[in-house]
Amino acid sequence: MEKVQSNVRTPLLKKVHCNYIPVKSLEESAEWYEKVLGLKRFKDDGSIMVLGEGEWLFLLETKNEFTPNFFTDQWDGENYEMFSMTFEVDDIQLVYQNLQAHNVELEPIFDDGPCGLKFTFKDISGNKFHVWEDIER
């Protein structure tokens, strides 16, 4: 049996290739992601949505109501409903205004100094996401 080195210095995981998002209705969610976020469908059924740089979001219809949201005291106060994913954008104001125009549940844009501008929103299934713009570029 080959011995495994215990002090790995190089990360063994390269990047996140795709993400799986639980949704209540595949068709309604695919339409929402297209209409509200401007994502394109990779497959006709809408189960794969493509981001601007080609990453995939798999929309998977759940058998019960479930989101990747969770509660923590480690982020923004006690019992904070945490998001599981952050989307980087080039124009946070445009994204925010578009979400507002579609009556999406969202929090105000927050200027976090050198960490950039950010806000959170929820999709049609209640999945909470984080949006971030790097203003230091």
Side-chain angles (χ1 to χ4, degrees):
M1 179 176 221
E2 193 175 316
K3 185 176 178 183
V4 177
Q5 184 178 356
S6 63
N7 293 326
V8 176
R9 299 200 192 296
T10 303
L12 299 177
L13 303 176
K14 182 177 175 181
K15 67 178 181 176
V16 174
H17 177 69
C18 52
N19 285 280
Y20 301 88
I21 299 173
V23 297
K24 293 177 185 175
S25 164
L26 178 58
E27 183 55 34
E28 286 178 19
S29 294
E31 287 177 15
W32 188 91
Y33 277 76
E34 259 184 331
K35 179 181 173 185
V36 177
L37 298 175
L39 302 184
K40 304 291 183 221
R41 295 181 193 213
F42 179 77
K43 293 176 71 174
D44 289 339
D45 68 359
S47 62
I48 300 174
M49 306 301 293
V50 183
L51 296 172
E53 292 189 358
E55 296 86 355
W56 289 5
L57 295 180
F58 284 78
L59 304 181
L60 299 173
E61 200 166 280
T62 60
K63 294 182 183 254
N64 55 3
E65 286 200 31
F66 177 79
T67 71
N69 311 351
F70 56 94
F71 291 88
T72 181
D73 295 340
Q74 290 181 258
W75 189 258
D76 192 15
E78 290 184 31
N79 210 28
Y80 178 76
E81 184 179 19
M82 189 67 185
F83 45 86
S84 63
M85 197 177 334
T86 297
F87 295 107
E88 182 177 359
V89 298
D90 290 327
D91 186 343
I92 201 164
Q93 297 292 338
L94 177 65
V95 175
Y96 193 85
Q97 290 167 1
N98 188 61
L99 291 171
Q100 274 186 319
H102 286 95
N103 298 314
V104 172
E105 180 182 340
L106 45 88
E107 295 175 359
I109 294 175
F110 175 70
D111 184 342
D112 201 10
C115 290
L117 301 173
K118 48 185 144 179
F119 71 90
T120 61
F121 73 93
K122 288 189 177 179
D123 74 1
I124 192 172
S125 295
N127 297 302
K128 186 176 183 180
F129 298 112
H130 189 236
V131 177
W132 168 69
E133 180 182 351
D134 182 4
I135 56 175
E136 295 291 315
R137 287 189 277 152

